[in-house]
Amino acid sequence: MSGTLAKIAEIEAEMARTQKNKATAHHLGLLKARLAKLRRELITPKGGGGGGPGEGFDVAKTGDARIGFVGFPSVGKSTLLSNLAGVYSEVAAYEFTTLTTVPGVIRYKGAKIQLLDLPGIIEGAKDGKGRGRQVIAVARTCNLILIVLDVLKPLGHKKIIENELEGFGIRLNSKPPNIGFKKKDKGGINLTATCPQSELDAETVKSILAEYKIHNADVTLRSDATADDLIDVVEGNSSVKWSLKRMVYIPCIYVLNKIDQISIEELDIIYKAGCPGTHSVDQTGLELRNPPASASQVLGLRVCVTTTRLIECYTKPKGQLPDYTSPVVLPYSRTTVEDFCMKIHKNLIKEFKYALVWGLSVKHNPQKVGKDHTLEDEDVIQIVKK
């Protein structure tokens, strides 16, 4: 294990020394591929085990979405959970107060949201320090990550936490690379780019794939991709069987805590210096346009719930008014009529004939649709059975 860490440190040092330009893109791409392989070895040590959540960390997933609070020790994650969900998580003026995952539940407009107060992580968490692997493994299962930052040292902590999460296969506020990748038995590397590329060329692509012993494949670049994007796709399609090989793409909100300790002018400087899009809070507030909050105030959860990408749809029994009291909540990635039926009962789809839909997803109200129709937020659906 120490040998792997030494190799990682050596490659990271070489990358830091190498100037980033067109002439060095090929060399940097090769280094990044080697670094990704070493990190994979670190996450899944030989003999299995060591990478799972572990005792006290594996919390059953409930509700419509899961939000994880990630941050350094003693930044106020437990107080935030207590104020939002009314769940007691031990709070004290010393570090590492929370030693296990503490769950809580909130309800917002019919959506049931699970909140997880994760133990504080430290630099080197992705390498196993401070049970960091177990903490980040739970963070991978979340629909939204709240990175809680101490307002007195936000930029340093933000950079470290992002690096730790990225090293464990979590990509924050980004989408999966728009890259087509298919291995084949012969024919060499066939590269197709549908738009101009600023970083990847045929030589760089071949070098990265060669690092994974891939010499025959079709690669299609549908956007201006980076070496990191290609490595993510290759890792995700790797034949190596390891539970965390696939990258996960999770939205993230940065929460500045304890803002009552600085002035409004200082807060404005932090936003401009390196925390754009951060939400101004002190343990409970989540919206910048609200005034700075103290630890005893709860200013709302709209930003959190919106970022989890949920939609609400309503059922309409035949001959009756829609039921607006009990919405069916669906994740943004699964919003077809079939998903709607499965959320109500798995046997409903077997009896499905067609559906009548009122709302933004149809051109006229009502409209007759099939099970593959994609729903929009606040649509009303009437299921017609066979």
Side-chain angles (χ1 to χ4, degrees):
M1 186 67 70
S2 58
T4 304
L5 289 173
K7 290 177 183 178
I8 288 175
E10 185 179 330
I11 292 176
E12 287 178 337
E14 185 174 351
M15 288 174 63
R17 290 193 303 267
T18 305
Q19 287 187 345
K20 190 175 181 181
N21 53 51
K22 220 167 188 178
T24 60
H26 169 71
H27 179 60
L28 283 172
L30 197 58
L31 291 176
K32 288 177 179 178
R34 290 174 182 169
L35 187 61
K37 289 177 65 180
L38 289 170
R39 282 176 173 167
R40 185 196 341 147
E41 291 177 14
L42 204 60
I43 292 173
T44 53
K46 294 179 181 178
E55 184 179 351
F57 288 82
D58 193 9
V59 178
K61 194 169 186 178
T62 62
D64 301 299
R66 169 182 274 194
I67 299 176
F69 298 174
V70 175
F72 273 71
S74 298
V75 294
K77 300 186 301 297
S78 298
T79 303
L80 180 58
L81 176 70
S82 298
N83 280 293
L84 293 180
V87 173
Y88 177 72
S89 181
E90 188 175 351
V91 179
Y94 52 85
E95 295 187 345
F96 298 106
T97 313
T98 303
L99 300 177
T100 61
T101 300
V102 179
V105 175
I106 58 171
R107 291 185 179 275
Y108 184 85
K109 290 186 175 180
K112 185 179 179 183
I113 311 295
Q114 184 182 44
L115 307 180
L116 296 181
D117 174 18
L118 300 174
I121 65 173
I122 58 176
E123 189 168 8
K126 66 180 184 299
D127 303 327
K129 293 183 181 178
R131 299 189 78 179
R133 283 191 204 143
Q134 291 93 328
V135 175
I136 302 177
V138 176
R140 284 176 58 92
T141 68
C142 294
N143 302 96
L144 170 68
I145 291 177
L146 285 187
I147 294 183
V148 185
L149 302 169
D150 189 327
V151 76
L152 299 180
K153 39 193 171 183
L155 302 182
H157 282 187
K158 176 177 178 285
K159 185 176 181 180
I160 292 171
I161 292 173
E162 288 174 341
N163 184 53
E164 298 302 320
L165 296 179
E166 183 174 324
F168 214 72
I170 297 176
R171 302 292 181 259
L172 300 174
N173 293 332
S174 60
K175 297 179 180 179
N178 193 2
I179 297 176
F181 176 77
K182 185 179 180 180
K183 287 192 284 185
K184 55 186 182 180
D185 296 328
K186 57 184 179 180
I189 303 298
N190 181 30
L191 176 64
T192 304
T194 61
C195 61
Q197 300 294 312
S198 59
E199 182 173 330
L200 292 180
D201 55 24
E203 184 182 3
T204 304
V205 170
K206 287 179 181 178
S207 297
I208 292 174
L209 295 181
E211 190 66 28
Y212 290 91
K213 296 182 172 57
I214 298 173
H215 304 288
N216 300 287
D218 292 327
V219 180
T220 305
L221 306 178
R222 303 187 186 95
S223 62
D224 188 7
T226 65
D228 290 319
D229 292 335
L230 179 59
I231 291 167
D232 283 357
V233 171
V234 175
E235 288 277 342
N237 285 273
S238 173
S239 60
V240 179
K241 293 182 179 179
W242 60 296
S243 61
L244 298 178
K245 71 178 182 180
R246 295 188 182 277
M247 305 301 160
V248 292
Y249 300 83
I250 305 176
C252 171
I253 291 178
Y254 299 91
V255 180
L256 281 179
N257 193 18
K258 306 176 185 177
I259 60 171
D260 48 355
Q261 297 182 17
I262 64 172
S263 66
I264 294 295
E265 291 74 21
E266 290 172 315
L267 188 62
D268 190 48
I269 292 173
I270 292 174
Y271 287 135
K272 294 177 180 178
C275 287
T278 304
H279 293 273
S280 167
V281 307
D282 181 1
Q283 301 185 356
T284 52
L286 293 173
E287 295 201 53
L288 178 59
R289 60 186 169 200
N290 284 317
S294 67
S296 61
Q297 294 174 302
V298 178
L299 295 182
L301 293 164
R302 186 178 64 82
V303 172
C304 264
V305 178
T306 301
T307 314
T308 56
R309 301 169 182 171
L310 301 174
I311 72 165
E312 293 179 345
C313 297
Y314 305 99
T315 57
K316 182 188 182 302
K318 186 177 180 180
Q320 299 180 34
L321 293 174
D323 181 9
Y324 292 109
T325 60
S326 301
V328 177
V329 181
L330 300 172
Y332 196 71
S333 58
R334 297 191 297 274
T335 58
T336 65
V337 172
E338 182 175 2
D339 295 321
F340 177 86
C341 293
M342 293 295 289
K343 188 66 181 286
I344 296 173
H345 197 281
K346 62 182 180 181
N347 290 329
L348 184 57
I349 196 64
K350 298 177 182 178
E351 304 171 359
F352 178 86
K353 185 175 181 181
Y354 63 88
L356 295 175
V357 177
W358 293 257
L360 295 175
S361 70
V362 292
K363 294 181 179 179
H364 51 269
N365 294 303
Q367 183 172 319
K368 183 178 176 180
V369 301
K371 64 180 181 179
D372 295 327
H373 175 75
T374 301
L375 301 169
E376 294 286 348
D377 193 29
E378 298 188 349
D379 275 1
V380 175
I381 303 95
Q382 178 183 317
I383 303 298
V384 178
K385 297 181 181 179
K386 295 177 182 176

